[in-house]
């Protein structure tokens, strides 16, 4: 239904197509990955002013057969995109707030690789630091993405284990019930007479 190749290892990201999101670095990293493994395919959701520049970069790296620009993805369709993904990538270069997409992907059972920027560092650092890129550089992103793709592809049970851990981590740490309880305790402590 989403017109995504079913025989590929699917990387997914959804971002506004602006410079701070690090999408150029992600595409450059993808270029180095496909030289080593041809079964990787990136689905890039989102729209913005960098769209044409990113498409041109993809063509200049000759990786247009390994990427789909999905455009804006409506909220009602996001769950389907998370379900089709083997790995979610958050390549943010700067100014990442809380990183709700990180939690959405993990809650969907999709492992996340992310740059050590803003809330992503906090979330993935608490989950497992091995899912954090060393920095925002395309080389370090490409290295970890390649290692992770190979590992998951060669050991499918590993993906299943990590998938379950992702879901449990979000349930244990970011559920509405847990956060409401924490907020209520904070208010009770702060406004105790």
């Amino acid at each position: 239904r989403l017109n995504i190749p079913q025989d590929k290892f699917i990387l997914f990201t959804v971002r506004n197509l602006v410079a701070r999101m690090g999408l150029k670095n992600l595409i450059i990293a993808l270029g180095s990955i496909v030289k080593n493994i041809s079964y990787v395919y990136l689905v890039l959701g989102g729209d913005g002013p960098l769209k044409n520049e990113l498409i041109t970069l993809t063509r200049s790296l000759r990786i247009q057969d390994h990427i789909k620009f999905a455009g804006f993805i409506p909220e009602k369709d996001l769950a389907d995109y998370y379900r089709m993904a083997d790995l979610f990538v958050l390549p943010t270069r700067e100014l990442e707030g809380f990183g709700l997409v990180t939690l959405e992907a993990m809650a969907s059972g999709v492992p996340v690789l992310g740059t050590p920027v803003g809330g992503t560092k906090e979330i993935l650092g608490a989950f497992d630091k091995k899912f954090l890129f060393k920095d925002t550089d395309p080389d370090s992103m490409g290295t970890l993405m390649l290692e992770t793709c190979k590992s998951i592809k060669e050991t499918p049970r590993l993906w299943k284990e990590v998938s379950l851990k992702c879901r449990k981590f979000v349930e244990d740490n970011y559920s509405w019930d847990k956060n409401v309880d924490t907020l209520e305790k904070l208010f009770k402590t702060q406004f105790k007479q």
Side-chain angles (χ1 to χ4, degrees):
R1 185 174 80 76
L2 300 176
N3 197 24
I4 307 295
Q6 295 185 11
D7 61 338
K8 303 288 186 185
F9 187 96
I10 305 297
L11 304 172
F12 176 51
T13 194
V14 60
R15 311 266 57 205
N16 289 322
L17 307 186
V18 296
R20 75 174 184 85
M21 297 298 181
L23 297 167
K24 284 183 190 177
N25 290 348
L26 175 59
I27 291 171
I28 292 168
L30 181 67
S32 68
I33 293 170
V34 300
K35 290 176 184 173
N36 294 287
I37 52 176
S38 61
Y39 55 80
V40 173
Y41 190 84
L42 171 65
V43 176
L44 196 160
D47 205 354
L50 282 185
K51 183 177 182 178
N52 290 336
E53 189 175 335
L54 295 174
I55 290 170
T56 300
L57 176 61
T58 300
R59 289 181 184 142
S60 72
L61 294 172
R62 300 176 196 258
I63 58 172
Q64 61 269 24
D65 293 338
H66 294 273
I67 188 167
K68 175 181 180 164
F69 288 88
F72 174 78
I73 300 173
E75 189 76 29
K76 68 179 180 54
D77 295 334
L78 260 178
D80 290 336
Y81 278 87
Y82 286 125
R83 274 194 292 274
M84 64 85 211
D86 294 299
L87 193 62
F88 188 87
V89 183
L90 197 70
T92 309
R93 228 182 50 205
E94 60 189 17
L95 302 173
E96 181 66 47
F98 179 67
L100 187 58
V101 292
T102 302
L103 293 179
E104 288 176 349
M106 293 176 77
S108 301
V110 180
V112 176
L113 296 179
T115 51
V117 177
T120 305
K121 183 176 180 179
E122 177 185 333
I123 294 166
L124 293 180
F127 174 69
D128 189 334
K129 290 181 178 154
K130 74 179 181 185
F131 290 93
L132 280 168
F133 297 117
K134 182 178 72 177
D135 53 41
T136 62
D137 187 72
D139 290 337
S140 66
M141 290 172 61
T143 299
L144 184 57
M145 288 165 55
L146 179 62
E147 290 170 5
T148 306
C149 291
K150 282 182 174 180
S151 179
I152 290 173
K153 183 79 169 173
E154 293 167 4
T155 317
R157 75 170 167 70
L158 175 65
W159 187 92
K160 184 69 170 170
E161 289 171 12
V162 174
S163 173
L164 293 171
K165 286 179 183 176
C166 288
R167 175 74 185 185
K168 183 165 177 21
F169 175 78
V170 174
E171 288 174 350
D172 290 349
N173 295 285
Y174 295 98
S175 69
W176 280 110
D177 290 341
K178 172 135 177 87
N179 284 294
V180 168
D181 289 345
T182 302
L183 185 60
E184 284 178 351
K185 287 177 188 172
L186 177 68
F187 284 147
K188 286 178 183 176
T189 304
Q190 294 297 316
F191 299 108
K192 208 175 195 178
Q193 298 284 339

